[in-house]
Amino acid sequence: MSGDRHEARAGVVSAVGSIGLATLASRVLGYVRDMVVAQAFGAGPVTDAFFVAFRIPNLLRRLLAEGALSTAVIPVFTQYLASGGRAGFAAMARAVAGASALTLCVVTLAGMLGARWIVTLMAPGWAADPPLLDLAVWLTRLMFPYLLLVGLAALATGTLNAHHRFFTAALGPVVLNLSMIGAVLLLARHFQPPIVSLAVGVLVGGLGQLLVQLPEVRRLGVPLRPSGEWTHPAVRTIARRLLPAAFGLAAVQITVVINTLLASLLPTGSVSYLYYADRVMEFPLGVFGIALATAALPTMSAQAARGDRAGLTDTLGFALRLSVFIAVPAAVGLVALGGPIVSLLFERGQFGAAATAATTEALAAYAVGLPAFSATRIAAQTFYALADTHTPVVLGFISVAANVVLALGLMWPLAHAGLALASSLAAYVNLLALLWMLRRRLGPMGGRALGRSALRTLAATVPLWLACRALGPVADSPGHTAAWTGVAVVGGGLAFVAAAALLRAPELHALLAMLRRGKGLPPPGGW
């Protein structure tokens, strides 16, 4: 392996460690938040109203603010940082901040004014329940300014990531979770209905996500004070890439919207079951899958900017192999131990055994698609590094169409679990299409190495599955959930690591080398 590729891989894995650590803290707090919410409000019409209301600005956050904006901004920021110097970068950042702030204000105002129409579109089954619909509309209007706050925070994130500063930027969700937890514990009794306290917590958390990043941005000497230079070339470049990037990244998020719409036609609680299951599945996806895609984008953007196609292909293959190595055993573990995990996290207060069983069904269906959800983000980022925003849009629409067809076919026999399974299968459609188009664009991408890696990983998950199936029933028995769930998770993980070591999986050696030395990766022949 050349020195440049070795350094690129080392940089990606090191960044994954920083992002993953912050994301781990966020996910742990996220589970604490969901435990608090589940205990206080359960899984019913009130929580359904909040989750639909929060999903609307949160969806726009993922697509426009943190998703497409970051994806469109980071390659441009990286290019200006390399070629324009500090002064040019600062002028560009201020121009982008001004245009972004104006756009986000307009979208936020439009969302607040059109909240009733949006909620009706998202949950048509609630038209027969006016009080529930009215509550969802009020919560939507209250939370829509979160989009403006988190959009500005995404600009700060793009600035930090372009400078290869990842940890502080990844702390934003930690602040959001702390704010929402505090809102339930301290404010719920002061609001009627109490669920409004969660919406207040979302707004405070959005402001915190911005403020937590500003000190490090200032230390870098980058002013994010908005300017009116909306004709700056960077603004035009980002604008051209923004909407296509939003549609390209939208496949997973649009399936969430479709599932929410269809779940509103199913028995009460279905929206909440899907939400809680998605929250569990997001833990491994966020801590490693999305962290890996985020860490790889600046490296791939720099390689594309200097025309290093071979290096770009190498980084892509490296990221995909690591993704499979983590996502496959995580998916197997979630299927095997879904019941005990859901019970441990949520079954208390208003969240009973029936809700646990329904959420576990959805979790198993989502877990099937975990490898695809993780790898799809990496594959899509490669196109954005190449400044190609068109291809992911087309393939995203194909994936959404597949999800609609599958959801309509699966929701009646499998209820809410059918909607989750449709999302998983549609993610594989999207992934295969992305990889096929990348191969046409870049040429051979190390498919044989990826195939060998996937087979080794699947073989190593067999002991994990056996360990989880042996320990799972004990963990699921009354009075043993907490301790034995931990034993089952750790036991399954150790079984997988031991099997991977026996199979001499180079992915394991690469990760362990990073943990041991904190730098550099060995160049094993398997890579």
Side-chain angles (χ1 to χ4, degrees):
M1 187 197 312
S2 70
D4 287 344
R5 295 184 191 177
H6 176 81
E7 183 178 350
R9 291 183 178 183
V12 169
V13 176
S14 177
V16 169
S18 298
I19 300 169
L21 181 61
T23 306
L24 176 62
S26 170
R27 291 295 189 252
V28 170
L29 285 171
Y31 287 133
V32 174
R33 179 197 75 192
D34 289 339
M35 285 187 232
V36 170
V37 172
Q39 183 173 16
F41 307 115
V46 172
T47 50
D48 280 0
F50 173 79
F51 291 139
V52 167
F54 184 47
R55 186 157 285 165
I56 295 166
N58 200 42
L59 172 69
L60 291 174
R61 169 188 68 84
R62 292 187 176 189
L63 294 184
L64 296 178
E66 294 182 354
L69 187 58
S70 293
T71 301
V73 159
I74 290 174
V76 175
F77 277 25
T78 301
Q79 180 181 357
Y80 269 82
L81 190 61
S83 61
R86 292 286 176 181
F89 183 87
M92 179 274 301
R94 291 190 62 206
V96 172
S100 299
L102 177 62
T103 302
L104 289 166
C105 284
V106 170
V107 174
T108 297
L109 180 60
M112 295 175 71
L113 294 175
R116 181 168 294 275
W117 180 83
I118 296 171
V119 172
T120 302
L121 181 64
M122 288 278 290
W126 293 355
D129 190 347
L132 182 60
L133 182 64
D134 289 343
L135 176 60
V137 170
W138 162 236
L139 292 172
T140 300
R141 286 179 175 146
L142 182 59
M143 286 189 287
F144 231 98
Y146 172 70
L147 173 65
L148 170 62
L149 296 169
V150 81
L152 297 176
L155 280 179
T157 297
T159 299
L160 294 177
N161 287 356
H163 287 83
H164 293 270
R165 306 290 182 90
F166 296 96
F167 182 75
T168 302
L171 283 178
V174 173
V175 178
L176 175 64
N177 287 328
L178 287 172
S179 177
M180 293 177 72
I181 292 168
V184 174
L185 296 179
L186 302 176
L187 301 178
R189 62 182 178 273
H190 300 296
F191 287 95
Q192 191 56 243
I195 197 75
V196 174
S197 63
L198 263 181
V200 174
V202 168
L203 291 178
V204 175
L207 179 62
Q209 286 181 273
L210 172 62
L211 295 180
V212 75
Q213 299 182 75
L214 292 184
E216 186 167 4
V217 171
R218 283 197 294 267
R219 283 196 296 272
L220 291 172
V222 179
L224 284 183
R225 298 185 304 277
S227 71
E229 300 177 43
W230 299 336
T231 59
H232 193 285
V235 174
R236 294 196 298 270
T237 300
I238 292 172
R240 285 197 305 268
R241 297 182 182 183
L242 183 60
L243 287 181
F247 282 112
L249 291 173
V252 173
Q253 302 309 320
I254 292 177
T255 58
V256 171
V257 173
I258 292 172
N259 283 355
T260 301
L261 185 154
L262 296 176
S264 73
L265 304 175
L266 295 172
T268 298
S270 296
V271 172
S272 296
Y273 303 146
L274 290 172
Y275 171 81
Y276 287 120
D278 180 68
R279 290 293 302 150
V280 177
M281 194 270 293
E282 285 274 347
F283 184 84
L285 179 62
V287 170
F288 195 85
I290 295 176
L292 182 55
T294 302
L297 179 58
T299 298
M300 291 193 295
S301 297
Q303 290 169 329
R306 61 176 180 263
D308 184 8
R309 292 295 182 89
L312 176 61
T313 301
D314 182 78
T315 301
L316 171 62
F318 174 72
L320 289 174
R321 291 193 293 274
L322 285 181
S323 175
V324 169
F325 186 72
I326 297 297
V328 169
V332 171
L334 288 177
V335 171
L337 297 175
I341 291 173
V342 172
S343 177
L344 174 63
L345 291 175
F346 305 124
E347 191 174 325
R348 57 185 57 82
Q350 299 298 313
F351 198 100
T356 294
T359 301
T360 300
E361 293 174 358
L363 175 59
Y366 274 136
V368 170
L370 180 57
F373 291 132
S374 179
T376 294
R377 184 68 179 267
I378 297 168
Q381 298 284 57
T382 309
F383 283 102
Y384 303 129
L386 292 166
D388 179 359
T389 56
H390 173 75
T391 301
V393 172
V394 176
L395 301 184
F397 276 120
I398 293 173
S399 173
V400 170
N403 178 75
V404 172
V405 173
L406 291 165
L408 291 174
L410 294 173
M411 67 180 289
W412 302 120
L414 299 178
H416 61 282
L419 298 178
L421 182 59
S423 295
S424 294
L425 297 178
Y428 281 103
V429 172
N430 196 20
L431 174 61
L432 292 175
L434 286 167
L435 292 179
W436 182 67
M437 291 300 295
L438 279 173
R439 193 182 189 285
R440 291 187 60 186
R441 179 77 175 268
L442 298 175
M445 299 186 302
R448 291 183 180 179
L450 179 60
R452 289 193 298 269
S453 174
L455 288 175
R456 275 194 305 266
T457 300
L458 286 171
T461 59
V462 173
L464 180 153
W465 171 262
L466 295 175
C468 290
R469 295 302 295 174
L471 296 170
V474 181
D476 211 15
S477 61
H480 295 87
T481 300
W484 280 98
T485 298
V487 170
V489 170
V490 173
L494 291 175
F496 173 76
V497 170
L502 288 174
L503 293 171
R504 298 183 178 181
E507 301 86 357
L508 177 64
H509 296 314
L511 292 173
L512 291 178
M514 183 270 293
L515 293 174
R516 283 196 304 267
R517 299 197 297 270
K519 62 180 181 179
L521 298 177
W527 284 126

